[in-house]
Amino acid sequence: MLSPSLIQQLQADLASATVLTPGSEGYEESLKRWSETAEKRAGAVVQVTTPEQVAMAISFARQHHIEQVVRGGGHGTNGASSTDGGIVIDLSKMNRVTVDPENMTIAAEGGCLWKDVDEAAADYGLAAVGGTVNHTGIGGLTLGGGYGYLTGRHGLVIDNLLRVKLVNADSEIVTASPDEHSDLFWALRGAGASFGAVVEFTYCAHQQREPVWAGMAAFSLDKLAPIVKFANDFALSANPDASFNFGFTTPPHAPGPMLVTLGFYNGLGKDGKRIFAPLFAAGPAFQNFGPMPYCKVNALLEESASHGGRKVIGGAACAIPFAPEFYEEIQQDLLSFIEVVPAAKESLLVFELVHHGKVQEVDGSATAFANRGPYYNAVCMTKWTDAKDDDKCRDFTFRLKEKVSEHLIKTSAVNPESIGKYLNYNDLTDGRSDNMFGSHDEKLVALKMKYDPSNVFNKWGAVTAAAVEQNHGYNTMNLKPRQIAVE
């Protein structure tokens, strides 16, 4: 932990911010994350409100060789927004959203959640391409690429990103856009948080009709065949205004595991009912489809993706045709695991069918995002309660997502320009940078050496840092908090 004299100096240097330390009011609450597996005991949490305070905090950490991390929404499961004994730069108080309906832009500070953006935009009849869980931070989702309900029509979040304001490794406040620091802007769109602390994102706004038509439906496990058939037919329809998720979990308040689905149509209810009629014909045990404001769609998963408990996420990709036999096999894998770890009954495996045509319209070299293939995302989120089950749950998640990935390779024509992996769903990796960035790896290493050669930003997306170390022969983890307890 930080020595008393360092804490005093930090508090003096950042007197305009809120500095929380062990024992101070608000410290314990500031450590909480979406997953308990990501919680660590920081030496200090600096709750900032301005870019200048962020710059001062980064400068202080570098000067004193203290590990620093940036917390946006705190929604990851890999602990990248937490530190053992170091400094957390907490952006959560930087949550202002500015909507410019004349220029069709939305500027959001780095600590915003998607709920903040959704609701501010809705006041003007607008929307931004955002995530599918509204208590997710905008920063992590954006920097990793960003899929959402509007992706089919408008592309990824990064395809709608106009510019960012960030604090770099030298504590400079800079703007990155197609016209300023364009190489940095390229890297920020898909390579995670390896290049700076983003304090403001400016997005393209889109006119958003209200209401949309959406909802969830749950089915008994014996309905797998008709659900998979619907998924295949839905994917073939290639409707850019509709999306469909299906998978396996034990929903909150349900007596046991079920097939779960979520549908979205950005249009009239009569058309939405027609699109999803074959799904309803399968006989759901529960469904709540209907008209709703767009900003409420991003709240549909709040309960199943709630805060608390222990979680880990692993991602893969899938492609049509979906084979019922394979999905029955992985359904059984999940059920068998729950028998071994009963507390993991709310774990889920979900396949997300968002039309990828618009994503593929953007050239693969245009951004650092390396997953512009004809694939759909699959996510395994294992949830449990006891730390003694950590290894079992992590191992299961890794094995399951690898099984889905291997199935894609066996059954589909894999696009060599696309890695078939989504950074935001890959908290479990084997540490090789080319796993997540493919052919972009060499360019990212060069940009890392240009903008952050000391590897100040070495957490989430830090697979780039592993490549820097491998290619340049020095220890990129030299900022671990090993000196901070001395004095």
Side-chain angles (χ1 to χ4, degrees), residues 24 27 32 74 79 91 119 174 179-180 190 197 200 202 252 306 312 316 322 332 366 373 386 408 410 447 451:
S24 63
Y27 170 79
K32 293 188 180 302
L91 304 181
E119 293 180 354
V174 301
D179 302 317
E180 301 178 76
E200 185 179 78
T202 300
S306 60
V312 68
F322 303 121
Q332 189 55 52
D386 197 321
L408 172 70
K410 291 177 183 177
L447 289 172
Y451 286 105

Side-chain angles (χ1 to χ4, degrees), residues 356-370:
H356 41 61
K358 195 71 175 178
V359 175
Q360 291 184 268
E361 285 182 13
V362 178
D363 188 87
S365 64
T367 67
F369 185 78

